[in-house]
Amino acid sequence: MTQRAKNPVLIVGSMAFDDLTLPSGVFPNVVGGAATYAAMAASLFAEPRVVAIIGTDFPDDVLRDLNARGIDTSGIERADGKTFRWAGRYSDNLASRETLSTELNVFADFRPKLPDSYVDSGCVLLGNIQPELQLEVLDQVANPRIVAADTMNFWIAGERPALTRVIKRVEALVINDEELRQLAEEHNIKRAAQAVLAMGPQHLVVKRGEYGAMLFDSEGIFFVPAFPLEDERDPTGAGDTFAGALMGVLAQAPRIDGAHLRRALMTAATVASFCVEGVGTARLAELSPSDVQQRLDELRNLVYLEN
Amino acid sequence: MTQRAKNPVLIVGSMAFDDLTLPSGVFPNVVGGAATYAAMAASLFAEPRVVAIIGTDFPDDVLRDLNARGIDTSGIERADGKTFRWAGRYSDNLASRETLSTELNVFADFRPKLPDSYVDSGCVLLGNIQPELQLEVLDQVANPRIVAADTMNFWIAGERPALTRVIKRVEALVINDEELRQLAEEHNIKRAAQAVLAMGPQHLVVKRGEYGAMLFDSEGIFFVPAFPLEDERDPTGAGDTFAGALMGVLAQAPRIDGAHLRRALMTAATVASFCVEGVGTARLAELSPSDVQQRLDELRNLVYLEN
């Protein structure tokens, strides 16, 4: 990509092979990882730029496919060794999952290095990686409009000081409800949200899986339902898809304010619902803008009340 | 009450003493029961008529207080023996509870008998009692505009044929998500809802606790969030409060259609949220119409998106 991106979204995170045991069957070697899902989702609205690490086993044609979707892959480092691999098994109703194995491989030595062409990214999504690495990325970008960070229970428990520094420096935190409770050490969602907002970010987005998502900010609380699906196949990456779509929509927004965030949240929930309908990124890959618009209208009707 | 009720709501269900072990303390002898919560909630909007059974130990002044709220208690039978008693203990975060003991007492021999003055009730709420008794109540009312029924896991497992007859005869079923899944023998909420609607009712209301409620009908799906509370004290009766408020609002409605049901659902979620803020019916008892209206506006803003 030599053309200058109009609405760039910098996405840092994992790229992986997933071995998925789903109610519908066993699917080995599914291309996944938080950065992959987020970039695919963001590419529906903006020009993602990915910073990640892959091994020598990662297929070139997957990178070419990402390029063809307008995703800048020049920040993806190919290292000697194998790509990160995760194996997981979902319960019959998809309500829970267990990790069967995690092989960090080249991801263990990931040190995100931004190409010069990424430095001006207006929107930045710090995927769920070690907080120290999230800080290193923040040190490499110049004056972004909005930085959003994800994290996980492992870093909340083991890297709280560094994570606290990340949270202080980002505009938005995008985490799930269990992570929120763990981070705030408070079960009540509203009190937990207040505690996390007091740590620094202007916006807190809480993902609640099949129950939707909530936004907490100075304008109050906003609630978006999950789109009710008849055929759920694979929840893997739905949260990363949500975050990627959110940042993609915000990259297009004339300004980052409560109204645009609320709108972006509805779209993010819509795109995330498609993710669950296919194995890996299969459903995301075939999505058209009109698919998204149609379901977004349906999602709005779920809460719409005539005056 | 000699004056003819304008918007009567017939409510059949339990009246009870609850012994509650809550994070905030132990509260013995709390007046509860599904009919009590539902009638208190419905009385904010309409004139409830209660059919229930109490023992000789039930205080007259509680009945007088209900009367003072416009609740018709002439269908409450006082029988020799003790009132139904339930003891339960909630977890520290109120997310789960266990039943410590259940003493049916006079409730074991409850056979609902409607006073003649109740027969013309336009709205009927069949609380969670034995399905055979719900059918007996249905046989005693003349042409109601809407009948809604609640039920529980115990009847779904043990009385499915009778429960199926109830469901075939009611316009609305108001149950929680676990009951829906059990009734439909299907985990997916949307497919489960379709299966239950195929059993007869026009409207299915699914209560999801802290995640809100959903309505399924021929017009589609409607979603209402739970009002996020900072101070949750006692979830006992919140579902019954929800159902009672729903029927109270519908009793005022010029007609029972999708739009009015959706509006009623928002109000029901609002009133239910107040219930959780006090022990037993304490918070419901002090509610004013303006309290409800103000929080209803806040609840609408949770999902409101400017065009």
Side-chain angles (χ1 to χ4, degrees), chain B residues 3-69:
Chain B
Q3 206 188 334
R4 191 178 167 78
K6 247 174 55 194
N7 298 308
V9 178
L10 175 64
I11 294 168
V12 186
S14 59
M15 292 181 73
F17 290 116
D18 293 336
D19 298 320
L20 305 173
T21 303
L22 296 164
S24 53
V26 175
F27 299 84
N29 299 312
V30 177
V31 173
T36 309
Y37 284 100
M40 295 274 288
S43 74
L44 291 162
F45 312 99
E47 292 85 54
R49 297 163 164 177
V50 178
V51 175
I53 191 165
I54 54 177
T56 48
D57 54 351
F58 199 89
D60 278 327
D61 61 352
V62 173
L63 297 179
R64 275 195 295 271
D65 180 62
L66 295 175
N67 279 150
R69 294 171 186 281

Side-chain angles (χ1 to χ4, degrees), chain A residues 17-273:
Chain A
F17 290 117
D18 292 336
D19 298 320
L20 304 172
T21 302
L22 296 163
S24 54
V26 175
F27 300 84
N29 299 312
V30 176
V31 173
T36 309
Y37 284 99
M40 295 274 289
S43 75
L44 292 161
F45 312 98
E47 292 86 53
R49 296 162 165 176
V50 179
V51 175
I53 191 165
I54 54 177
T56 49
D57 55 351
F58 199 89
D60 278 328
D61 61 351
V62 173
L63 296 179
R64 276 194 294 271
D65 179 63
L66 294 175
N67 280 149
R69 295 173 186 281
I71 298 169
D72 190 336
T73 60
S74 60
I76 300 176
E77 177 189 349
R78 194 186 285 273
D80 279 342
K82 287 181 176 176
T83 301
F84 177 35
R85 180 174 291 269
W86 177 79
R89 179 166 52 206
Y90 286 85
S91 63
D92 281 349
N93 56 28
L94 293 171
S96 63
R97 75 179 190 191
E98 58 172 325
T99 291
L100 301 175
S101 69
T102 303
E103 299 170 29
L104 289 178
N105 299 328
V106 297
F107 194 57
D109 300 313
F110 181 42
R111 292 293 296 268
K113 283 177 289 292
L114 271 58
D116 290 343
S117 61
Y118 282 20
V119 170
D120 66 351
S121 302
C123 290
V124 178
L125 176 58
L126 303 174
N128 161 34
I129 56 174
Q130 198 183 337
E132 290 288 359
L133 300 183
Q134 292 178 317
L135 290 169
E136 287 182 17
V137 173
L138 276 178
D139 289 337
Q140 296 175 63
V141 288
N143 204 24
R145 297 164 71 204
I146 181 168
V147 179
D150 189 4
T151 192
M152 70 183 292
N153 50 5
F154 185 74
W155 309 124
I156 297 170
E159 301 271 356
R160 189 176 280 264
L163 180 59
T164 302
R165 293 208 304 281
V166 172
I167 293 171
K168 205 182 291 249
R169 287 179 62 180
V170 301
E171 282 74 33
L173 194 64
V174 183
I175 55 180
N176 70 36
D177 43 6
E178 282 319 306
E179 288 155 1
L180 169 63
R181 285 168 168 147
Q182 186 187 0
L183 183 60
E185 296 176 323
E186 163 67 51
H187 184 85
N188 180 279
I189 291 280
K190 194 171 174 188
R191 282 205 302 268
Q194 287 162 348
V196 168
L197 286 177
M199 294 171 73
Q202 285 81 44
H203 314 284
L204 170 67
V205 177
V206 182
K207 300 175 285 183
R208 304 181 103 185
E210 66 162 318
Y211 299 109
M214 295 175 84
L215 168 70
F216 297 82
D217 62 17
S218 63
E219 294 178 36
I221 307 177
F222 182 69
F223 189 94
V224 53
F227 186 80
L229 295 171
E230 233 167 298
D231 291 300
E232 299 163 286
R233 290 203 73 193
D234 175 16
T236 312
D240 304 311
T241 300
F242 181 95
L246 183 75
M247 296 306 279
V249 175
L250 288 178
Q252 291 182 311
R255 61 191 171 282
I256 312 286
D257 58 14
H260 285 94
L261 255 164
R262 283 156 172 73
R263 215 169 292 275
L265 219 67
M266 295 286 283
T267 306
T270 302
V271 177
S273 76

Side-chain angles (χ1 to χ4, degrees), chain B residues 167-205:
Chain B
I167 292 172
K168 206 182 291 251
R169 286 179 63 181
V170 301
E171 282 74 33
L173 194 66
V174 183
I175 55 181
N176 71 35
D177 43 5
E178 283 318 305
E179 289 155 1
L180 169 63
R181 285 170 167 145
Q182 186 188 1
L183 183 60
E185 296 176 324
E186 163 67 51
H187 184 85
N188 180 279
I189 291 278
K190 193 172 175 186
R191 282 205 302 269
Q194 286 161 349
V196 168
L197 286 177
M199 295 171 73
Q202 284 82 42
H203 313 283
L204 169 66
V205 177

